[in-house]
């Protein structure tokens, strides 16, 4: 009789010592091939590591681009609103109050972005995971990474506006008011 398929079940799952012994027995016969759950598991772990590095690299590039875009947007906003800020200062708003106003504005921009990113990002991540899930592994939300990204984003969104405001042209209020068109 010809044996087309043989399945060997170990007493202890994923026992590497038994795996080595079975492979030695099979290696003697050149007509036999083997496929092992341990080999597939090792391959899956290696693929997961590669995907983490690739995904992390892409996420880092997108994060840097997003931060630079945010800084540019806020710098342009402050430059365009110099007259408005000068009028507010002219009617009694202090520099500290302006900085606080810009920090709150930055925090609101960041909060809206975080909510949108979490909704779209988690849904897109789940969809891509299921699309590429050849090993039928369950999906786990990467909570530590998401929390770290949220904290860093909140810090950038709150710190950037006052720093840009401080670096902006600090001419006298009269010069700023005269520049209003």
């Amino acid at each position: 009789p010809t044996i087309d398929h043989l399945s060997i079940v170990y007493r202890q799952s994923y026992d590497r010592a038994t795996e080595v012994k079975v492979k030695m027995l099979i290696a003697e016969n050149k007509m036999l091939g083997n496929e092992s759950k341990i080999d597939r598991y090792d391959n899956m772990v290696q693929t997961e590591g590669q995907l983490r590095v690739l995904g992390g690299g892409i996420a880092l590039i997108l994060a840097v681009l997003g931060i630079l875009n945010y800084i540019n947007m806020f710098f342009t906003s402050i430059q365009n609103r110099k007259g408005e800020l000068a009028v507010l200062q002219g009617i009694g708003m202090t520099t500290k109050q302006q900085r606080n106003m810009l920090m709150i504005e930055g925090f609101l921009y960041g909060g809206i972005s975080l909510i949108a990113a979490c909704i779209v990002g988690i849904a897109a991540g789940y969809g891509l995971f299921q699309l590429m899930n050849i090993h039928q592994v369950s999906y786990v939300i990467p909570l530590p990474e998401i929390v770290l990204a949220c904290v860093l984003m909140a810090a950038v969104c709150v710190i950037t506006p006052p720093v840009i405001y401080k670096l902006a042209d600090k001419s006298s209020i009269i010069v700023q008011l005269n520049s209003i068109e």
Side-chain angles (χ1 to χ4, degrees):
T2 302
I3 299 174
D4 181 61
H5 181 82
L6 178 63
S7 183
I8 301 172
V9 179
Y10 303 164
R11 284 190 187 135
Q12 183 180 349
S13 296
Y14 297 99
D15 184 3
R16 291 193 183 268
T18 305
E19 177 83 5
V20 170
K21 291 176 185 174
V22 169
K23 282 189 174 187
M24 284 176 39
L25 290 172
I26 293 174
E28 293 174 6
N29 190 337
K30 300 297 180 200
M31 298 186 67
L32 293 176
N34 68 43
E35 183 179 304
S36 164
K37 284 185 178 181
I38 293 176
D39 291 340
R40 284 191 295 175
Y41 174 78
D42 291 341
N43 184 25
M44 183 178 65
V45 168
Q46 181 184 3
T47 303
E48 179 186 1
Q50 292 169 345
L51 287 174
R52 279 189 173 271
V53 169
L54 178 66
I58 291 171
L60 183 65
I61 290 169
L62 289 174
V64 168
L65 288 174
I67 290 170
L68 291 175
N69 186 35
Y70 177 78
I71 291 170
N72 183 44
M73 184 264 320
F74 227 95
F75 182 77
T76 304
S77 172
I78 289 176
Q79 290 296 98
N80 289 338
R81 292 169 45 196
K82 271 186 177 180
E84 175 188 325
L85 294 172
V87 169
L88 290 172
Q89 195 171 15
I91 60 173
M93 186 177 229
T94 66
T95 303
K96 184 177 180 180
Q97 288 173 328
Q98 285 183 342
R99 253 190 258 121
N100 287 341
M101 177 187 72
L102 293 171
M103 280 176 52
I104 291 169
E105 190 176 313
F107 185 74
L108 290 175
Y109 280 139
I112 292 168
S113 297
L114 273 175
I115 291 168
C118 284
I119 291 170
V120 173
I122 291 173
Y126 178 76
L128 285 171
F129 179 84
Q130 291 304 331
L131 187 66
M132 302 172 84
N133 190 7
I134 59 173
H135 297 291
Q136 302 305 314
V137 178
S138 61
Y139 180 73
V140 177
I141 295 176
L143 202 55
E145 290 88 352
I146 290 173
V147 169
L148 177 65
C150 290
V151 167
L152 290 175
M153 186 175 155
V156 167
C157 289
V158 170
I159 292 170
T160 299
V163 169
I164 290 175
Y165 179 72
K166 187 175 182 178
L167 296 175
D169 183 27
K170 286 298 190 177
S171 54
S172 73
I173 189 168
I174 295 170
V175 172
Q176 290 178 17
L177 286 172
N178 284 335
S179 67
I180 298 175
E181 298 165 359

